[in-house]
Amino acid sequence: MNGETKVYAVIGKPVRHSLSPVMHNALFKKYGINAVYVAFEVFPEQLRDAILGVRALGIAGLNVTMPHKEKIIEYLDKVSPDSKAISSVNTVINSNGELIGYTTDGTGARKALERFTNVEGSRVLILGAGGAGKAIAYELAKYSDVVVLNRTPEKARALEKFGIKGDALTMENLSYYIEWADILINATSVGMGKYESLVPKELLREGLVVMDIVYKPIKTKLLKDAEKAGCLTVDGLWMLVYQGAESFKLWTGIHPDVELMRRVALEGLRKGK
Ligand code: NAP
């Protein structure tokens, strides 16, 4: 590090366990980029000041996580059409003082899926219409038929303006749409830190592709049940890696080594980062 070192950061609350610093620092090292990536814990009431700080200090780029993904939009100079559509930013580029917001959650999830299966023309059932569910549904609806089921049905129905069918997360709907779907995605927080799943294992069948965006634990109950049922499974760490890779590409123009990102993220997970 020297006087030329660029600073990138993730902002959120909580953020201390983020795997983004290990992934991006490994990439900066690999590509010989004089930059460092750190985590800043920012409380909601400090967000405006934090963005003024980004401008004043010339922070080169940001990742944005909970709870700031929507609120940050009002402090930026521009946002991408995708970010505008779903009111969510998870990546910021500082382009000579102009702060531009993007979202890579949806593309990250799509690229993670595309690593294992064909997305175009498929039928996708997404559980959850929170921040991540909405971003994934919006992105996949450009390529596939998408149905979103959510505990609070109004949030799923609000996605109908994107050509997405939204409904309540009931057992009746779940049974019906799992049979209809080629790909099932858990985009709720159910399964995070707990051995629980929204999907009864009897509903899982061979040939179904099952993705869980929860990555702590990396093998959730849903993924274990899906493996046993003969489904192809995609864990949430792949989405984390690909959304990070998309951010890195926006900052540097480099298509990064996703295997390296996954390796260091797995190490970070094991160390309890
Ligand atoms: P969020 O905006 O708070 O949304 C949470 C979602 O989970 C909502 O749809 C919520 O339904 C649903 N939910 C929570 N508890 C539920 C329950 N008991 N039964 C049914 N539905 C329930 O959170 P988010 O940002 O979308 O994140 C969701 C999860 O994805 C988190 O675990 C997060 O760590 C993970 N994530 C992973 C990645 C990745 O790269 N792998 C990226 C982003 C997020 P209601 O609307 O009814 O409350």
Side-chain angles (χ1 to χ4, degrees):
M1 275 190 262
N2 55 25
E4 301 283 325
T5 305
K6 284 186 180 179
V7 178
Y8 291 81
V10 55
I11 59 168
K13 175 78 187 102
V15 82
R16 291 287 161 231
H17 294 287
S18 170
L19 294 167
S20 296
V22 291
M23 292 196 295
H24 290 290
N25 285 318
L27 293 176
F28 289 142
K29 192 171 169 197
K30 170 168 177 137
Y31 298 107
I33 296 170
N34 186 4
V36 65
Y37 187 112
V38 293
F40 290 131
E41 201 152 76
V42 175
F43 286 87
E45 61 276 16
Q46 296 170 317
L47 182 61
R48 184 175 164 275
D49 289 347
I51 301 306
L52 287 174
V54 167
R55 292 180 191 277
L57 300 174
I59 304 274
L62 291 178
N63 278 136
V64 183
T65 186
M66 293 286 285
H68 306 310
K69 286 183 178 184
E70 184 169 356
K71 184 73 178 164
I72 194 172
I73 292 176
E74 66 187 81
Y75 304 122
L76 301 177
D77 299 306
K78 274 193 212 157
V79 294
S80 71
D82 284 358
S83 277
K84 194 170 175 196
I86 59 168
S87 298
S88 179
V89 161
N90 79 334
T91 305
V92 176
I93 301 180
N94 186 345
S95 173
N96 300 315
E98 188 179 41
L99 299 187
I100 310 167
Y102 297 85
T103 173
T104 69
D105 283 329
T107 42
R110 174 171 59 78
K111 294 206 166 179
L113 275 171
E114 283 172 344
R115 187 184 172 98
F116 299 94
T117 190
N118 184 33
V119 167
E120 193 137 15
S122 59
R123 294 166 165 188
V124 184
L125 171 60
I126 300 176
L127 309 183
K134 183 174 64 169
I136 297 168
Y138 172 78
E139 173 66 14
L140 292 184
K142 296 175 190 167
Y143 304 86
S144 329
D145 273 350
V146 178
V147 172
V148 175
L149 301 180
N150 197 50
R151 179 177 62 180
T152 311
E154 300 73 45
K155 278 164 71 180
R157 292 194 188 114
L159 299 172
E160 291 189 347
K161 60 178 182 273
F162 303 126
I164 294 161
K165 181 168 171 47
D167 210 334
L169 178 56
T170 59
M171 206 40 75
E172 192 185 352
N173 282 336
L174 188 58
S175 314
Y176 178 81
Y177 284 110
I178 282 193
E179 209 171 304
W180 164 86
D182 305 307
I183 300 173
L184 165 70
I185 302 174
N186 174 45
T188 72
S189 45
V190 175
M192 190 169 66
K194 274 194 188 161
Y195 196 66
E196 59 184 9
S197 164
L198 288 170
V199 184
K201 55 179 185 293
E202 302 73 41
L203 296 184
L204 298 165
R205 62 169 198 279
E206 199 177 337
L208 183 70
V209 176
V210 179
M211 180 181 192
D212 201 334
I213 75 161
V214 169
Y215 57 88
K216 277 180 194 172
I218 188 158
K219 212 171 258 184
T220 57
K221 177 168 189 327
L222 173 64
L223 292 187
K224 281 188 181 165
D225 290 344
E227 259 180 25
K228 277 190 203 140
C231 306
L232 195 159
T233 60
V234 184
D235 65 55
L237 202 63
W238 281 118
M239 172 174 164
L240 187 81
V241 162
Y242 277 96
Q243 63 78 32
E246 293 297 296
S247 298
F248 192 82
K249 216 158 53 180
L250 284 167
W251 295 324
T252 64
I254 295 170
H255 288 260
D257 179 348
V258 287
E259 313 298 332
L260 169 66
M261 294 175 79
R262 181 157 173 110
R263 220 166 36 245
V264 297
L266 268 173
E267 238 167 73
L269 260 188
R270 268 190 221 113
K271 286 183 192 155
K273 283 263 174 213

